[in-house]
């Protein structure tokens, strides 16, 4: 599905943790390979978290970063290394206005929102933003947390085996809206339990009842790599080819749902109608 003829994008990444740090590093490497072809693009990474010692094992930070904002540490290190101009916003997004302010490019750039978060409350906000946007590509990276012992029934046997096999699954879902029409559904439409999750909270609203499940670094890296594949297709040919990728980092497997012919035809029809309307408006003005 051809989205743009020229790669002019305004990209906002929400989350700089295990998924976000790996995605960001890979993204900047890809951008540097394209050179001046992406000179009109804007890139922004957003997260209010500071680096803690516990982050050093599965996120792209070192001991010198402890206490610094994650986004600033990533931009300073990889922005300089790959010579890519990108903005760091050290705050949380909790309102639609917060999200809107993150997009800093001029009119005409294709907006892309990349969610690399581990809570459904922020996904609910991004879904609401998606639903109210005229034109937006929304890429969501989701991974399964490792099952904890206290989450399993006391009478269950072989708990260790269950825990050892958990935390390896994840999915990338690509939503797309064009001309106030949903062409590809967002992650909350594909997995509607996201919208019914009332326990999840924004990072600024700690909830003692919500467990912070650990994640496996291989799962995070695999999620980031698949999201980078989506972005590289947009950089390379201006196309979206997939609408969902599910994967398992233990088995090394993935299942891809490609955009089917029917949705592509509907999109082409939508674009033609939009072009016709623009031509009619020009005739009226002239």
């Amino acid at each position: 599905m051809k989205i743009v003829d020229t790669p002019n994008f305004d990209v906002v990444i929400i989350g700089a943790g295990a998924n976000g740090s790996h995605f960001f590093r890979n993204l900047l490497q890809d951008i540097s390979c394209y050179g001046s072809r992406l000179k009109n693009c804007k890139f922004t990474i957003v997260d209010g978290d500071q680096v803690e010692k516990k982050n050093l094992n599965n996120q792209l930070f070192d001991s010198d970063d402890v206490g610094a904002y994650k986004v600033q540490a990533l931009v300073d290190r990889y922005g300089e290394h790959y010579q890519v101009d990108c903005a760091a916003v050290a705050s949380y997004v909790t309102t639609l206005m917060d999200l809107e302010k993150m997009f800093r490019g001029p009119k005409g750039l294709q907006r892309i929102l990349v969610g690399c978060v581990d809570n459904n409350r922020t996904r609910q906000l991004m879904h609401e933003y998606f639903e109210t946007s005229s034109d937006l590509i929304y890429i969501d990276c989701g991974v399964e947390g490792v099952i904890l012992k206290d989450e399993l029934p006391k009478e269950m046997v072989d708990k260790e085996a269950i825990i050892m096999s958990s935390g390896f699954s994840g999915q990338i879902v690509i939503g797309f809206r064009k001309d106030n029409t949903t062409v590809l559904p967002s992650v909350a439409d594909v997995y509607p339990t996201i919208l019914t999750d009332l326990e999840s909270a924004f990072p600024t609203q700690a909830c003692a009842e919500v467990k912070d499940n650990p994640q496996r670094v291989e799962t995070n890296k695999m999620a980031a790599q698949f999201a980078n594949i989506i972005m590289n297709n947009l950089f390379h040919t201006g196309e979206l080819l997939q609408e969902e990728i599910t994967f398992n980092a233990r088995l090394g497997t993935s299942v891809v749902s490609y955009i089917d012919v029917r949705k592509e035809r509907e999109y082409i029809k939508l674009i033609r109608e939009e072009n016709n309307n623009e031509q009619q408006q020009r005739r009226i003005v002239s």
Side-chain angles (χ1 to χ4, degrees):
M1 182 182 289
K2 188 77 168 180
I3 306 301
V4 295
D5 292 320
T6 55
N8 296 329
F9 302 107
D10 189 355
V11 183
V12 172
I13 304 149
I14 307 296
N19 287 341
S21 61
H22 287 96
F23 171 79
F24 184 74
R25 182 264 177 203
N26 294 347
L27 180 72
L28 264 59
Q29 184 178 42
D30 291 342
I31 293 167
S32 69
C33 292
Y34 282 96
S36 62
R37 189 162 181 238
L38 300 179
K39 64 181 180 180
N40 294 325
C41 297
K42 300 291 183 182
F43 302 97
T44 305
I45 184 166
V46 185
D47 195 324
D49 280 353
Q50 293 173 295
V51 180
E52 302 176 60
K53 286 185 178 179
K54 67 178 184 179
N55 303 139
L56 303 185
N57 289 332
N58 70 333
Q59 301 178 23
L60 294 182
F61 304 104
D62 58 36
S63 56
D64 291 339
D65 296 324
V66 173
Y69 284 106
K70 290 181 177 181
V71 291
Q72 197 61 59
L74 291 173
V75 167
D76 287 348
R77 178 176 295 114
Y78 297 112
E80 181 178 351
H81 180 80
Y82 292 112
Q83 296 295 298
V84 176
D85 181 23
C86 45
V89 179
S91 65
Y92 299 110
V93 292
T94 59
T95 69
L96 294 177
M97 184 60 70
D98 290 340
L99 272 174
E100 179 63 26
K101 288 190 296 185
M102 296 304 114
F103 289 96
R104 58 194 184 96
K107 186 178 180 181
L109 298 189
Q110 172 64 60
R111 290 185 171 188
I112 302 176
L113 175 64
V114 183
C116 297
V117 301
D118 59 2
N119 70 90
N120 283 338
R121 183 64 190 93
T122 305
R123 283 195 178 91
Q124 291 166 6
L125 177 67
M126 290 190 291
H127 173 72
E128 186 178 359
Y129 185 78
F130 174 79
E131 290 285 288
T132 56
S133 296
S134 172
D135 296 271
L136 182 69
I137 297 170
Y138 169 28
I139 302 169
D140 183 84
C141 308
V143 299
E144 172 192 57
V146 178
I147 294 174
L148 304 177
K149 277 189 176 181
D150 56 4
E151 294 177 331
L152 299 171
K154 292 181 179 180
E155 64 276 7
M156 183 174 286
V157 297
D158 215 3
K159 288 186 177 183
E160 291 299 327
I162 294 172
I163 293 169
M164 287 293 289
S165 64
S166 68
F168 288 102
S169 297
Q171 71 283 326
I172 308 299
V173 178
I174 304 94
F176 177 41
R177 277 178 63 81
K178 179 69 176 177
D179 197 23
N180 293 302
T181 302
T182 297
V183 180
L184 302 176
S186 84
V187 64
D189 291 319
V190 178
Y191 298 96
T193 53
I194 289 172
L195 298 177
T196 59
D197 182 358
L198 302 179
E199 293 186 341
S200 183
F202 289 123
T204 52
Q205 302 169 332
C207 179
E209 297 179 359
V210 180
K211 293 183 177 63
D212 182 19
N213 285 45
Q215 298 172 354
R216 299 191 188 276
V217 66
E218 290 303 324
T219 312
N220 293 127
K221 289 193 290 186
M222 202 165 180
Q225 186 58 56
F226 280 123
N228 286 122
I229 288 171
I230 303 302
M231 291 299 303
N232 188 63
N233 286 334
L234 288 166
F235 294 157
H236 182 52
T237 60
E239 292 179 293
L240 287 175
L241 304 178
Q242 306 91 344
E243 55 180 314
E244 183 179 12
I245 303 172
T246 58
F247 62 88
N248 186 289
R250 185 186 187 201
L251 302 176
T253 57
S254 63
V255 177
V256 181
S257 296
Y258 295 101
I259 299 171
D260 62 38
V261 175
R262 177 182 57 83
K263 288 182 179 178
E264 189 155 7
R265 286 173 178 169
E266 290 175 352
Y267 173 67
I268 292 171
K269 181 180 178 182
L270 180 68
I271 294 299
R272 286 174 178 169
E273 290 175 351
E274 183 182 37
N275 291 337
N276 289 336
N277 290 336
E278 289 178 356
Q279 289 175 4
Q280 290 176 0
Q281 288 295 325
R282 292 194 193 101
R283 291 193 192 102
I284 293 172
V285 171
S286 59

